[in-house]
């Protein structure tokens, strides 16, 4: 479709992307650099213009740089932030053309074929791009050509515009490094006396291919437009956020509900298109006085049915202080989970997972989803750690329980009883009740887990007894032989 | 001997019942045993006593149990009302720590009626609500012979809005998951 010479590609190179980004957030005067730890040394990663003017360069050791320039101010570099910044710039650049891809770690490539006239021609587009970037605080070098290779060469070596079909003429005078070659290849070519792209283009191809391999000629062909080089636009990740700005502030609960319903319908349509469901939703209400109020909704299961989600917002919206009125609503699905389309059943029996999920969400809006618990087996012989409690919304029911010996139904922190000796007491007092032993089963000796320092188990070994009292209560007593004493820890059914 | 029916048991669905006494948790577990659906157990987070899944094994599969921990008694009541009204959970057990007034008891009763679920309040002695359908006192009893193959209780029906009251000695048999009435107790 876009054959060679018709394409027009802009390459934008940000020579100081990281430092420009850091200084945009917190401006500084004077020489500045971002440092990155490489191996054992802090090295300069990205410098501003003042630092470059002081004679510093990228890759220089920080200690050395301080000697050259005592006024140097530094901050640690954050490569992840840098990548995010470039991704944000890429998204911004889609204002010029829908076909924008990343060019390495510090550049963008825009396919502006057929889009330049919207900005008053190519010159107008470049001027607009440059003006906006410099106003935003970014140093940018622009190159425009019919091929991606030539645009890169122009952007990185002195900027410029190659007229359509004259790529080779435009870059003939540039050094061979402009062809995106490996440094050793560049050095080898220079030793052969091939210093410029033009020299290389005039050289017979066969000896070059024999000496340097096909990669060199591929690069040359890509730059001259003889071989096509694709430009992959960045994928636009689905965004599950919507906002509604109102001409007049609102304050009634019903009005906010109505606005939320409108946003929710659109959001759920988006979720359905992506086969996902929301797990956490956040409704941000901006008030006239620029204060924001947030309503967060955590769901027990992924959901994308507006009719089921909306009632869950009621409680949160009622608690919002509208002040002088709300003029913007923003709804965002903070956490989404895959939710493929499902066969609809005709029954809604009790215990139906969807209905149970709804119920848990509703209860969760009141007491918090993490307070609805489920018991899971745990691998420990210590009674109080023989099971785990996990939030029901974030865990699956598990089986695999085993109780080789009867265990009490109710467990509580040990309560002392007055008794002596290592055999179960004939009579004892517990919770102000006088109890007498009818039957005792035991002992079952449990040792503390030595790898886990539990203060409750500092008294050492425990001999557990199941005591049936004449009064009826069936209690779980233990004796600590290493620190003599009797305790009650649980009650059997 | 075994098939003497107890008036009011099994608990009537769509109503809220109460149980007090030291055997109350076991009573709730026995009530939950026949079903297969989830059981919601609501308790306040600050209580010291915890249910153990190993102790529940003779009665029901611990995977069926959902525990809701609340901060205040009002939250407990609200959660119970929500769950009863929904009816997805067939049995809702609510551990009560303060006396329920008539209004609260009635609300729970209406919610249970709307959803068709059974509610069971574990109440401290003498803190029931007049709205309850039945009220029980469950106390463990000393087994006549040793062995864990059956667990004896005494169940007293203190109040029954639609039947007679009485007291029974019952045995829970974990192997067969069956409640056996030993004899109507005469005391």
């Amino acid at each position: 479709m876009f054959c060679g010479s018709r394409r027009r590609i802009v390459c934008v190179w940000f020579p100081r992307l990281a430092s420009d980004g850091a200084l945009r957030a917190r401006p500084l005067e004077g020489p500045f650099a971002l440092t990155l730890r490489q191996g054992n040394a802090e090295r300069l990663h990205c410098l501003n213009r003042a630092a470059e003017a002081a004679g510093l360069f990228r890759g220089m050791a920080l200690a050395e740089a301080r000697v050259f320039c005592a006024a140097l101010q530094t901050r640690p570099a954050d490569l992840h932030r840098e990548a995010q910044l470039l991704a944000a710039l890429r998204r911004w650049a889609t204002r010029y053309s829908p076909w924008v891809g990343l060019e390495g770690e510090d550049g963008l490539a825009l396919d502006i074929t057929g889009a330049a006239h919207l900005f008053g021609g190519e010159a107008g587009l470049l001027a607009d791009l440059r003006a906006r970037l410099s106003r935003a605080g970014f140093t940018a070098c622009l190159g425009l050509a019919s091929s991606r290779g030539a645009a890169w060469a122009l952007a990185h070596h002195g900027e410029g515009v190659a007229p359509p079909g004259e790529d080779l003429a435009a870059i003939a005078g540039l050094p061979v490094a402009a062809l995106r070659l490996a440094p050793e290849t560049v050095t080898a070519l220079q030793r052969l006396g091939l210093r410029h792209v033009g020299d290389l283009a005039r050289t017979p191809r066969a000896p070059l291919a024999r000496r340097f391999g096909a990669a060199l000629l591929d690069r040359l062909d890509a730059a001259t437009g003889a071989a096509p080089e694709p430009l992959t636009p960045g994928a636009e990740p689905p965004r599950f956020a919507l906002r509604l700005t109102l001409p007049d502030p609102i304050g009634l609960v019903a009005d906010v509900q109505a606005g939320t319903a409108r946003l929710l319908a659109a959001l759920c349509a988006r979720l359905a298109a992506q086969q996902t469901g929301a797990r956490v939703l956040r409704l941000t209400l901006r008030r006239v006085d620029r204060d924001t109020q947030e309503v967060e909704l955590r769901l027990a299961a992924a959901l994308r049915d507006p009719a089921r989600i909306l009632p869950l917002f009621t409680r949160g919206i009622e608690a919002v202080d509208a002040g002088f009125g709300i003029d913007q609503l923003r709804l965002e699905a903070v956490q989404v989970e895959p939710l493929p389309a499902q066969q609809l059943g005709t029954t809604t029996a009790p215990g139906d997972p969807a209905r149970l999920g709804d119920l848990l969400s509703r209860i969760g809006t009141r007491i918090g989803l993490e307070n609805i618990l489920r018991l899971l087996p745990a691998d420990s012989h210590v009674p109080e750690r023989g099971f785990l409690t996990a939030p029901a919304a974030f865990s699956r029911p598990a089986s695999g329980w085993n109780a080789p010996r009867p265990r009490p139904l109710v467990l509580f922190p040990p309560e002392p009883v007055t008794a002596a000796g290592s055999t179960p007491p004939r009579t004892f007092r517990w919770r102000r009740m006088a109890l007498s032993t009818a039957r005792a089963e035991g002992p079952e000796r449990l040792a503390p887990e030595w790898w886990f320092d539990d203060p409750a188990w500092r008294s050492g070994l425990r001999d557990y007894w199941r005591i049936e009292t004449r009064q009826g209560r069936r209690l779980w007593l233990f004796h600590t032989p290493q620190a003599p004493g009797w305790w009650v820890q649980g009650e059997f059914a | 001997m075994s098939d003497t029916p107890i008036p009011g048991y099994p608990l009537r669905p769509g109503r809220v019942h109460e149980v007090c006494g030291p055997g109350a948790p076991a009573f709730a577990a026995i009530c939950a045993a026949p079903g297969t659906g989830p059981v919601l157990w609501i308790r306040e987070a600050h209580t010291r006593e915890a249910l153990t899944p190993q102790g529940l094994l003779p009665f029901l599969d611990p995977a069926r149990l959902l525990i809701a921990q609340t901060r205040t008694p009002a939250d407990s009541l609200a959660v119970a009302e929500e769950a009863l009204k929904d009816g997805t959970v067939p049995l809702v057990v609510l551990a009560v720590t303060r006396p329920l007034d008539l209004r609260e008891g009635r609300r729970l009763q209406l919610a249970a009626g709307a959803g068709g679920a059974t509610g069971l309040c574990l109440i401290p002695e003498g803190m029931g609500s007049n709205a309850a359908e039945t009220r029980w006192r469950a106390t463990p009893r000393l087994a006549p012979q040793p062995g864990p193959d059956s667990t004896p209780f005494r169940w007293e029906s203190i109040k029954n809005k639609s039947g007679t009251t009485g007291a029974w000695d019952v045995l829970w048999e974990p192997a067969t998951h069956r409640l056996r009435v030993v004899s109507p107790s005469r005391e």
Side-chain angles (χ1 to χ4, degrees):
Chain A
M1 194 163 64
F2 298 118
C3 56
S5 60
R6 297 251 182 89
R7 283 170 84 198
R8 297 299 282 162
I9 302 218
V10 175
C11 181
V12 187
W13 176 43
F14 301 102
R16 289 187 276 274
L17 176 69
S19 62
D20 283 347
L23 290 174
R24 231 165 84 83
R26 280 187 296 158
L28 277 181
E29 290 290 323
F32 169 79
L34 292 174
T35 62
L36 193 63
R37 195 161 188 88
Q38 288 172 334
N40 253 347
E42 291 279 350
R43 293 187 179 277
L44 300 192
H45 172 63
C46 193
L47 306 89
N48 74 347
R49 197 181 293 273
E52 279 172 2
L56 310 182
F57 55 90
R58 189 178 278 224
M60 196 178 196
L62 175 61
E64 198 183 340
R66 286 209 189 286
V67 174
F68 279 104
C69 176
L72 181 69
Q73 304 182 67
T74 60
R75 282 182 211 155
D78 184 347
L79 297 181
H80 179 66
R81 283 271 301 274
E82 201 178 317
Q84 277 185 331
L85 178 62
L86 190 63
L89 283 167
R90 190 202 67 76
R91 210 164 58 235
W92 169 80
T94 52
R95 73 191 300 282
Y96 294 104
S97 146
W99 208 262
V100 184
L102 300 182
E103 184 77 82
E105 285 167 0
D106 53 0
L108 300 174
L110 290 73
D111 190 335
I112 57 157
T113 315
H117 70 278
L118 300 170
F119 298 89
E122 287 174 352
L125 187 145
L126 289 185
D128 185 63
L129 186 58
R130 192 188 304 278
R132 284 179 191 271
L133 283 173
S134 81
R135 207 180 311 149
F138 289 103
T139 318
C141 301
L142 308 177
L144 172 61
S146 301
S147 70
R148 197 171 157 189
W152 191 93
L154 288 169
H156 283 252
H157 293 88
E159 306 198 69
V161 178
E166 293 174 30
D167 280 358
L168 183 56
I171 64 170
L174 301 181
V176 284
L179 290 178
R180 293 175 285 173
L181 300 173
E184 51 270 28
T185 314
V186 173
T187 316
L189 284 172
Q190 283 174 345
R191 285 195 185 139
L192 293 178
L194 300 171
R195 295 185 186 282
H196 300 288
V197 178
D199 302 342
L200 200 60
R202 279 192 296 276
T203 312
R205 293 168 67 89
L208 277 181
R210 249 194 329 275
R211 170 72 177 79
F212 294 102
L216 172 65
L217 292 178
D218 284 351
R219 286 301 197 191
L220 182 63
D221 288 346
T224 56
E229 186 180 6
L231 172 59
T232 315
E236 202 63 60
R239 293 177 64 75
F240 302 111
L242 290 160
R243 68 169 173 235
L244 177 67
T245 310
L246 306 162
D248 280 317
I250 57 172
L252 295 178
V253 171
D255 293 348
V256 179
Q257 287 258 35
T260 310
R262 223 190 260 191
L263 290 175
L264 202 55
L267 182 71
C268 288
R270 255 189 224 188
L271 289 168
Q274 298 288 334
Q275 298 248 326
T276 51
R279 196 63 198 269
V280 179
L281 288 159
R282 190 185 296 138
L283 178 67
T284 311
L285 304 171
R286 197 188 67 193
R287 306 198 313 202
V288 183
D289 54 4
R290 297 283 149 171
D291 185 29
T292 55
Q293 304 251 321
E294 284 192 355
V295 180
E296 195 179 64
L297 178 62
R298 301 162 75 85
L299 299 167
L303 207 59
R304 57 159 181 262
D305 181 0
R308 277 161 70 189
I309 300 176
L310 189 61
L312 303 175
F313 266 117
T314 315
R315 196 181 148 75
I317 290 175
E318 278 168 2
V320 164
D321 175 15
F324 293 108
I326 292 162
D327 65 355
Q328 189 188 69
L329 287 79
R330 183 169 187 274
L331 183 65
E332 183 182 6
V334 182
Q335 194 185 333
V336 294
E337 277 180 10
L339 180 65
Q342 278 178 347
Q343 177 77 43
L344 284 179
T346 48
T347 55
T348 49
D352 172 28
R355 280 186 60 191
L356 186 63
D358 280 6
L359 174 65
L360 294 189
S361 301
R362 274 208 303 283
I363 295 177
T365 55
R366 178 157 195 120
I367 62 171
L369 216 46
E370 64 286 351
N371 283 325
I372 306 173
L373 305 169
R374 193 196 291 289
L375 300 173
L376 299 176
D379 195 12
S380 171
H381 64 267
V382 170
E384 53 268 39
R385 283 199 295 279
F387 59 94
L388 297 172
T389 52
F394 305 103
S395 60
R396 313 288 316 154
S399 53
W401 298 98
N402 63 335
R405 286 158 183 281
R407 285 284 182 252
L409 180 61
V410 175
L411 208 62
F412 37 81
E415 295 169 8
V417 294
T418 48
S422 60
T423 51
R426 208 172 283 277
T427 58
F428 57 95
R429 289 187 71 80
W430 172 65
R431 292 190 182 174
R432 298 192 189 173
M433 284 180 288
L435 300 169
S436 54
T437 307
R439 261 178 234 122
E441 264 177 59
E444 179 189 356
R445 173 161 287 191
L446 296 186
E449 293 174 330
W450 56 262
W451 57 92
F452 191 93
D453 184 26
D454 185 354
W457 280 76
R458 293 253 169 87
S459 52
L461 298 172
R462 291 182 180 183
D463 287 337
Y464 278 95
W465 294 78
R466 180 179 191 269
I467 306 277
E468 293 184 31
T469 62
R470 283 186 208 290
Q471 288 71 21
R473 311 288 291 253
R474 293 179 274 268
L475 298 174
W476 210 33
L477 268 72
F478 69 84
H479 174 60
T480 45
Q482 290 169 331
W486 281 88
W487 308 77
V488 186
Q489 204 191 354
E491 185 167 6
F492 290 88
Chain B
M1 152 178 165
S2 62
D3 290 333
T4 322
I6 305 179
Y9 181 87
L11 300 180
R12 213 173 125 199
R15 307 293 293 168
V16 177
H17 308 264
E18 291 179 346
V19 59
C20 64
F27 183 92
I30 289 172
C31 291
T36 52
V39 177
L40 182 66
W41 197 294
I42 305 162
R43 63 156 195 229
E44 285 167 43
H46 58 78
T47 47
R48 306 165 66 232
E49 304 191 342
L51 281 177
T52 63
Q54 286 89 351
L56 279 172
L57 270 180
F59 303 100
L60 69 155
D61 178 9
R64 288 171 55 202
L65 191 71
L66 293 171
I67 298 174
Q69 282 192 339
T70 61
R71 270 192 298 275
T72 62
D75 274 351
S76 291
L77 288 168
V79 170
E81 190 186 12
E82 189 74 58
L84 285 169
K85 205 186 282 173
D86 190 79
T88 316
V89 180
L91 179 68
V92 178
V93 180
L94 169 67
V96 174
T97 51
R98 66 169 171 84
L100 298 186
D101 63 22
L102 188 58
R103 184 171 51 103
E104 292 159 344
R106 187 77 192 125
R107 277 192 76 104
L108 290 183
Q109 217 39 286
L110 288 173
T118 313
L120 181 62
C121 298
L122 312 183
I123 55 168
E125 195 83 35
M127 286 197 188
S129 145
N130 275 337
E133 172 78 13
T134 56
R135 187 174 306 134
W136 301 79
R137 181 182 297 123
T139 37
R141 202 166 50 86
L142 180 65
Q145 64 269 12
D149 51 337
S150 63
T151 320
F153 295 96
R154 158 164 300 165
W155 285 3
E156 290 167 67
S157 173
I158 316 170
K159 172 188 171 180
N160 189 349
K161 275 193 175 175
S162 48
T164 53
T165 58
W168 298 269
D169 285 346
V170 297
L171 276 179
W172 172 255
E173 294 179 343
T176 54
H177 264 232
R178 212 164 67 99
L179 187 74
R180 208 147 63 87
V181 183
V182 179
S183 65
S185 166
R186 283 176 269 285
E187 270 177 84

